[in-house]
């Protein structure tokens, strides 16, 4: 049975074992995991030695041991991982006492944005969104690409687990290291910075998606665009609507967690940092309103496009009906004179044929003129 299934069978979260009693075998050595992107200890906002192992980093902040490259007492460790397997995450999860359900979510991903509180840690899930550049929007274009970012926040640790090819935190880590005063606030400052970056990416994506919607809207309502008027843009509109729906799934569930972080006192969140979460919540609410508006607007554009297609089809049917009525005249006359009766009127008249042709043309011209006057042709 796998490690995850063993953990799920436990009723209470597994208690942390001390580093002295925990067996770091080949399968559970946190320092040996290839999924670790970065690991560092921070003291009073200053990054300590880069050569420190995961276990040494944990013991350093837990026991308050000094580090050669920096001084200070307020320390925490920040571990960054990218798509770890169960085996790679096992030792870290055990050592930091992470809840087994949260561990399962972090390893397998495909979670909705949420905030879960456990005994001595917070587990936050973000959906990262990236706009996919494209030369032309088509019925198969990928507009947004989503990933996932999980953050475990404790009193002396931050563990980030990233899934997907985008949403790297390397630049964010460097920005925080350039601001030691903010980073000295501890893990809650890192959690806020991550949330702020994710939501800022949302704002950038909304602007790009707005441009795509404007382009489709112009194509649908532009005069003389035969393709749009005949419903040719329905595929593009539907594809864009699906991409907006994926975006909406990332934004909407995140609103409540950000409000909780900004409004409810939590012992793991620094009071000075909490006020900044309210600003993030406001930005999430703004993005949520925009994405909801995109969805409604695309519904209206799609309905207008289909209505235009119906109008064009009706116009085509009127034209076909008008021409059928015109062609019915010669069909009727020639059909009558094709019955081969000897006593038919004007059958032996030498001007009978040209008279019939003239009559047919005159009647057809009169019908055609009437249809043109009424807008059928």
């Amino acid at each position: 049975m796998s490690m995850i299934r063993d953990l799920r069978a436990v009723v209470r979260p597994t208690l942390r074992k001390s580093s002295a009693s925990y067996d770091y075998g080949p399968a559970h050595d946190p320092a040996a995991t290839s999924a670790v992107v970065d690991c560092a200890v921070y003291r009073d906002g200053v990054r300590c030695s880069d050569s420190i192992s995961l276990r040494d980093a944990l013991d350093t902040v837990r026991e308050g041991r000094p580090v050669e490259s920096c001084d200070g007492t307020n320390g925490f460790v920040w571990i960054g991982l990218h798509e770890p397997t169960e085996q790679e995450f096992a030792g870290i999860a055990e050592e930091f006492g992470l809840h087994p359900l949260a561990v399962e979510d972090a390893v397998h991903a495909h979670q909705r944005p949420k905030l879960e509180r456990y005994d001595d840690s917070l587990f936050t899930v973000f959906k990262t969104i990236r706009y996919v550049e494209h030369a032309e929007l088509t019925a198969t274009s990928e507009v947004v690409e989503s990933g996932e970012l999980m953050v475990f926040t404790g009193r002396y640790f931050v563990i980030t687990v990233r899934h997907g090819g985008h949403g790297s935190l390397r630049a964010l880590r460097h920005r925080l290291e350039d601001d030691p005063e903010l980073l000295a606030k501890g893990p809650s400052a890192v959690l806020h910075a991550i949330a702020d970056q994710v939501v800022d990416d949302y704002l950038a994506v909304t602007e790009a998606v707005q441009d795509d919607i404007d382009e489709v809207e112009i194509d649908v309502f532009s005069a003389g665009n035969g393709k749009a008027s005949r419903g040719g843009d329905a595929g593009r509109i539907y594809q864009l609507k699906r991409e907006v729906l994926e975006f909406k799934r990332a934004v909407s569930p995140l609103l409540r967690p950000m409000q909780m972080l900004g409004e409810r006192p939590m012992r793991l969140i620094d009071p000075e940092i909490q006020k900044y979460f309210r600003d993030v919540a406001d930005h999430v609410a703004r993005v949520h309103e925009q994405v909801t508006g995109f969805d409604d607007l695309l519904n209206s554009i799609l309905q207008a496009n289909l209505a235009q297609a119906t109008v064009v089809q009706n116009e085509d049917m009127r034209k076909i009906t008008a021409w059928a009525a015109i062609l019915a005249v010669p069909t009727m006359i020639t059909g009558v004179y094709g019955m081969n009766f000897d006593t038919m009127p004007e059958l032996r008249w030498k001007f009978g044929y040209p008279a019939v042709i003239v009559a047919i043309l005159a009647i057809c011209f009169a019908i055609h003129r009437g249809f043109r006057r009424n807008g059928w042709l």
Side-chain angles (χ1 to χ4, degrees):
M1 182 180 294
S2 67
M3 184 275 295
I4 293 297
R5 287 196 295 271
D6 289 336
L7 290 176
R8 293 188 67 183
V10 180
V11 176
R12 295 181 302 173
T14 305
L15 297 176
R16 286 196 302 270
K17 298 180 181 180
S18 65
S19 58
S21 62
Y22 186 78
D23 181 17
Y24 287 98
H28 292 89
D29 184 2
T33 175
S34 61
V36 175
V37 177
D38 200 352
C39 172
V41 172
Y42 296 90
R43 285 277 176 81
D44 291 336
V46 178
R47 179 170 180 146
C48 301
S49 174
D50 290 331
S51 61
I52 192 168
S53 66
L54 292 181
R55 186 167 68 176
D56 290 341
L58 176 62
D59 292 341
T60 296
V61 296
R62 179 185 290 168
E63 300 172 8
R65 297 190 320 200
V67 181
E68 293 182 2
S69 58
C70 59
D71 298 323
T73 56
N74 298 322
F76 70 93
V77 58
W78 182 357
I79 303 172
L81 301 101
H82 181 244
E83 297 182 353
T85 63
E86 295 179 8
Q87 186 179 26
E88 290 171 333
F89 201 34
I92 296 175
E94 184 75 14
E95 186 64 31
F96 285 90
L98 305 180
H99 195 280
L101 294 179
V103 171
E104 182 180 16
D105 290 345
V107 170
H108 296 288
H110 303 295
Q111 303 297 313
R112 70 193 303 269
K114 61 183 178 179
L115 172 66
E116 294 180 345
R117 290 178 291 183
Y118 297 103
D119 293 338
D120 55 356
S121 66
L122 294 175
F123 177 61
T124 313
V125 178
F126 299 94
K127 284 279 191 181
T128 57
I129 296 293
R130 182 180 71 89
Y131 180 77
V132 180
E133 297 289 344
H134 44 266
E136 181 182 0
L137 181 64
T138 67
T140 58
S141 295
E142 184 180 14
V143 179
V144 296
E145 178 185 358
S146 63
E148 292 186 44
L149 181 61
M150 289 82 166
V151 184
F152 294 89
T153 310
R155 185 173 61 85
Y156 52 83
F157 67 86
V158 175
I159 302 174
T160 56
V161 182
R162 183 168 59 90
H163 291 265
H166 65 280
S168 174
L169 300 177
R170 187 180 303 276
L172 173 65
R173 189 188 285 258
H174 292 331
R175 287 200 302 271
L176 286 174
E177 291 172 356
D178 291 337
D179 189 358
E181 184 177 352
L182 176 60
L183 197 56
K185 298 293 183 180
S188 60
V190 177
L191 178 60
H192 165 264
I194 293 173
D196 189 54
Q197 174 173 291
V198 169
V199 176
D200 283 347
D201 291 341
Y202 291 169
L203 291 170
V205 172
T206 55
E207 295 179 359
V209 173
Q210 178 70 67
D211 292 338
D212 284 335
I213 295 177
D214 291 342
E215 177 185 345
V216 170
E217 187 177 19
I218 291 172
D219 289 344
V220 169
F221 292 102
S222 291
N225 190 338
K227 179 182 177 181
S229 64
R230 294 179 181 272
D233 285 308
R236 293 199 302 160
I237 299 171
Y238 185 73
Q239 176 65 15
L240 189 55
K241 182 174 174 59
R242 290 188 61 183
E243 296 294 300
V244 168
L245 181 60
E246 182 179 356
F247 192 6
K248 188 176 181 180
R249 287 175 181 155
V251 176
S252 298
L254 188 61
L255 182 57
R256 183 57 182 164
M258 292 300 101
Q259 290 174 340
M260 291 175 60
L261 288 171
E263 297 171 359
R264 295 186 182 180
M266 298 183 185
R267 56 190 177 89
L268 294 175
I269 303 298
D270 188 286
E272 292 296 322
I273 297 297
Q274 190 170 36
K275 66 182 69 174
Y276 293 101
F277 278 109
R278 291 197 290 268
D279 182 64
V280 175
D282 289 341
H283 289 170
V284 175
R286 172 186 168 189
V287 175
H288 177 261
E289 291 175 357
Q290 288 181 298
V291 174
T292 301
F294 291 163
D295 193 28
D296 294 339
L297 180 58
L298 286 171
N299 283 335
S300 300
I301 295 174
L302 182 59
Q303 291 175 1
N305 184 250
L306 296 177
Q308 287 181 339
T310 302
V311 170
V312 172
Q313 290 174 356
N314 291 337
E315 291 178 353
D316 292 340
M317 289 302 299
R318 287 195 301 176
K319 291 179 180 180
I320 293 173
T321 303
W323 283 112
I326 294 173
L327 294 176
V329 173
T331 301
M332 181 189 67
I333 296 176
T334 56
V336 169
Y337 279 91
M339 291 188 293
N340 298 323
F341 289 108
D342 290 335
T343 57
M344 291 181 66
E346 313 300 341
L347 189 62
R348 302 298 179 180
W349 186 34
K350 64 177 180 178
F351 297 109
Y353 176 74
V356 169
I357 296 299
V358 171
I360 290 174
L361 293 177
I363 296 173
C364 290
F365 176 77
I367 296 176
H368 182 273
R369 185 176 181 182
F371 282 138
R372 288 290 298 271
R373 186 184 298 114
N374 294 326
W376 281 50
L377 290 174

